Amino acid sequence: MSGIRLLVGTHKGAFILSSDGKRRDWNIAGPFFAGWELYHLKGSPLNPNRIYASQTSGWFGQQLQRSDDGGRNWEPVGNVFAYEGKPGPHKWYDDTPHPWEFKRVWHLEPSLTEPETVYAGVEDAALFRSTDGGRNWQELPGLRNHSSAPEWHPGAGGLCLHTIVQDPSDPKRLYVAISAAGAFRSSDGGASWQPINRGLRSQYIPDPDAETGHCVHRIALHPGRPQTLYMQKHWDVLRSDDAGSNWHEVSGNLPTDFGFALGVHAHQPETVYVVPIKSDSEHFPLDGHLRVYRSRAGGNEWEELSKGLPNDCYVNVLRGAMSVDRLEPCGIYFGTTGGQVYASADEGESWQPVARDLPAVFSVEAQTLST
Amino acid sequence: MIRVELPFHLRTLAGVGPEVQLEVAPPATLAAVLDALEARYPMLRGAIRDAITGQRRPFIRFYACEQDLSNDPLAAPLPDVIARGGEPLLIIGAIAGGCGGD
């Protein structure tokens, strides 16, 4: 028997949705940490009952919560994220120097290989690591000390490190994405980093092909083919077949290639999902038609998936709000800023809302459980 | 015995009721009360004052005896009535601020 647990982070708390392997009927537990912003929750791939949650507030700062029983009970663990040394400035929106200041944790990535290790991506952009289950955090300063960092500018949501991907075939290889600096890769467990933005073109920066300065919204890979990466940039969907060294656009016939979320099918490395959003000026679906687009060809050729998805819908789907399960057929999930969580148990052919009226959804992570 | 009232979200974070009582050796100052509070409830570290700089978080205020003590030196003695437990020290989350949204 299998089951699915969805970890949903929202503007006003966390919710845990659970179902059996049929994925038809769902139970909603929560809100946990009601009234706080839950940017991200993620379970350990080595121990699914170990879940980390980033709990944050403009009033009360950052908390890091941990559960060891699948989200029933939580304990606050370490919330001190101290940059190594005295951080220099980055660029502010108006190009003036701005002090590097910790604001919140955007992304938590439990290690694929070390049960007590977890990575945290924070705003202002930096990567932290804990090797004791989240109690103590140390910065991996090679990223923030990269020579390009003084030129990094924030995106609209801040200078945030919002995506961390660990290569399952080489756990020392890490990828991160920073808005609006771009994508970076480490081959030594996070000690040193190189920008991997060759092939990205961004009209909103003076040199569209610059080494950094791109607003990368999401990157993802398939664990069975980790050299292939997919990217949703501010505008453009891209693909790399050499671990990010070179990218090419695969937006193809998408009706608009602006968007945030991106997912890769659990069993088919060439099957990719995106949620096109009209534009960076209008953060809602084109014509108010909420749609997922699927490519079975690794990009370029996209098909609209609409069954069960609404029209007259003016929500956004944020970068952390799409996830896949590992059942057969693969299940796909996404949450909206209107508080809906949609699920497909058939690879995207049809969708049902499994939660309708939650607070704005920031993140969705699917856990596939053996029960 | 010093009485401290916490805002809703810090009560739920610490798992306490509206008021906590702390033993603080004299002289009772804001710094001493906050030190005692964070020692008893470690999850509050960083939630009232920055964990690294020790600065009061921008949208937190300290009130006592109908006075705003938020910008007083942390080492200044608290009013006698607070030190004696006759009135609570109020830790307030501002009704403005935070980071937007509803």
Side-chain angles (χ1 to χ4, degrees):
Chain A
M1 287 290 288
S2 296
I4 300 297
R5 189 157 61 207
L6 298 183
L7 309 174
V8 180
T10 81
H11 185 50
K12 298 180 186 176
F15 297 83
I16 298 181
L17 283 56
S18 52
S19 177
D20 61 19
K22 294 176 185 169
R23 298 165 285 182
R24 207 167 39 224
D25 300 311
W26 292 81
N27 177 65
I28 302 178
F32 302 93
F33 323 115
W36 292 69
E37 295 183 295
L38 269 291
Y39 266 59
H40 194 215
L41 301 90
K42 193 156 189 181
S44 165
L46 302 171
N47 171 14
N49 282 336
R50 163 68 64 84
I51 301 170
Y52 299 96
S54 171
Q55 173 191 5
T56 183
S57 157
W59 287 263
F60 307 113
Q62 179 70 45
Q63 293 289 327
L64 212 298
Q65 298 277 349
R66 190 180 96 187
S67 173
D68 287 309
D69 59 6
R72 282 187 290 276
N73 295 285
W74 297 86
E75 82 170 300
V77 283
N79 64 347
V80 179
F81 293 85
Y83 296 116
E84 288 285 331
K86 183 172 170 54
H90 59 77
K91 289 287 176 68
W92 195 234
Y93 297 99
D94 62 1
D95 246 8
T96 57
H98 193 80
W100 219 288
E101 296 170 332
F102 173 81
K103 296 184 180 65
R104 58 179 64 83
V105 173
W106 278 67
H107 185 103
L108 292 160
E109 191 66 27
S111 167
L112 296 173
T113 55
E114 303 290 335
E116 295 299 316
T117 294
V118 54
Y119 298 90
V122 312
E123 176 189 355
D124 283 338
L127 182 65
F128 284 78
R129 180 175 61 194
S130 169
T131 56
D132 58 4
R135 296 193 187 282
N136 294 283
W137 294 90
Q138 295 83 37
E139 189 189 7
L140 296 166
L143 178 63
R144 186 178 47 78
N145 289 331
H146 188 270
S147 59
S148 64
E151 299 300 316
W152 295 354
H153 289 75
L159 181 62
C160 53
L161 195 166
H162 52 69
T163 302
I164 304 169
V165 177
Q166 188 177 24
D167 183 339
S169 69
D170 177 2
K172 287 195 172 303
R173 175 175 284 176
L174 300 171
Y175 302 93
V176 301
I178 297 170
S179 290
F184 295 81
R185 181 180 66 204
S186 172
S187 301
D188 53 15
S192 63
W193 294 84
Q194 68 178 111
I196 48 165
N197 300 298
R198 189 177 301 134
L200 279 61
R201 287 186 59 78
S202 301
Q203 298 300 333
Y204 46 77
I205 52 179
D207 172 5
D209 302 304
E211 186 180 42
T212 60
H214 302 272
C215 195
V216 175
H217 285 179
R218 198 66 168 170
I219 52 177
L221 57 72
H222 185 279
R225 197 181 296 170
Q227 294 288 111
T228 298
L229 295 172
Y230 297 97
M231 174 190 293
Q232 172 70 64
K233 190 163 69 67
H234 194 82
W235 293 96
D236 302 336
V237 178
L238 299 106
R239 169 187 179 125
S240 168
D241 290 298
D242 55 9
S245 295
N246 296 279
W247 297 87
H248 61 278
E249 188 179 345
V250 292
S251 301
N253 62 337
L254 286 172
T256 165
D257 61 10
F258 182 84
F260 293 92
L262 180 148
V264 184
H265 191 289
H267 313 301
Q268 300 169 10
E270 295 290 304
T271 299
V272 192
Y273 300 84
V274 294
V275 182
I277 298 295
K278 183 177 179 186
S279 73
D280 52 1
S281 301
E282 297 164 284
H283 281 194
F284 51 72
L286 196 64
D287 301 323
H289 296 172
L290 180 60
R291 300 290 184 264
V292 175
Y293 276 70
R294 177 178 62 195
S295 173
R296 291 192 181 279
N300 282 323
E301 299 161 23
W302 299 88
E303 56 182 320
E304 180 186 85
L305 305 173
S306 63
K307 188 176 177 185
L309 295 176
N311 296 335
D312 301 316
C313 181
Y314 293 88
V315 300
N316 198 358
V317 177
L318 299 178
R319 71 189 85 232
M322 176 175 264
S323 188
V324 302
D325 69 30
R326 306 201 61 75
L327 296 183
E328 186 68 58
C330 178
I332 322 292
Y333 309 89
F334 69 93
T336 77
T337 56
Q340 299 86 34
V341 177
Y342 290 94
S344 170
D346 55 10
E347 305 182 325
E349 291 298 320
S350 64
W351 299 84
Q352 63 163 332
V354 296
R356 288 181 181 274
D357 298 303
L358 302 183
V361 173
F362 292 163
S363 63
V364 174
E365 291 286 355
Q367 292 186 287
T368 307
L369 307 173
S370 300
T371 55
Chain B
M1 183 78 71
I2 289 186
R3 299 160 54 199
V4 179
E5 280 194 17
L6 295 172
F8 172 82
H9 284 306
L10 298 189
R11 294 178 213 162
T12 57
L13 183 62
V16 299
E19 182 177 298
V20 298
Q21 299 185 344
L22 301 166
E23 293 291 349
V24 179
T29 63
L30 263 177
V33 171
L34 294 174
D35 287 347
L37 183 66
E38 291 171 355
R40 172 91 72 85
Y41 305 103
M43 66 287 285
L44 297 182
R45 287 182 186 144
I48 298 168
R49 47 186 180 172
D50 186 276
I52 296 165
T53 67
Q55 294 295 305
R56 172 176 55 84
R57 299 189 61 79
F59 297 113
I60 295 280
R61 309 293 289 190
F62 304 126
Y63 294 171
C65 306
E66 300 183 348
Q67 296 176 53
D68 184 354
L69 310 182
S70 306
N71 293 310
D72 288 2
L74 285 173
L78 289 166
D80 277 351
V81 67
I82 299 294
R84 286 187 279 105
E87 292 280 340
L89 171 69
L90 309 181
I91 297 179
I92 304 288
I95 60 166
C99 52
D102 59 349

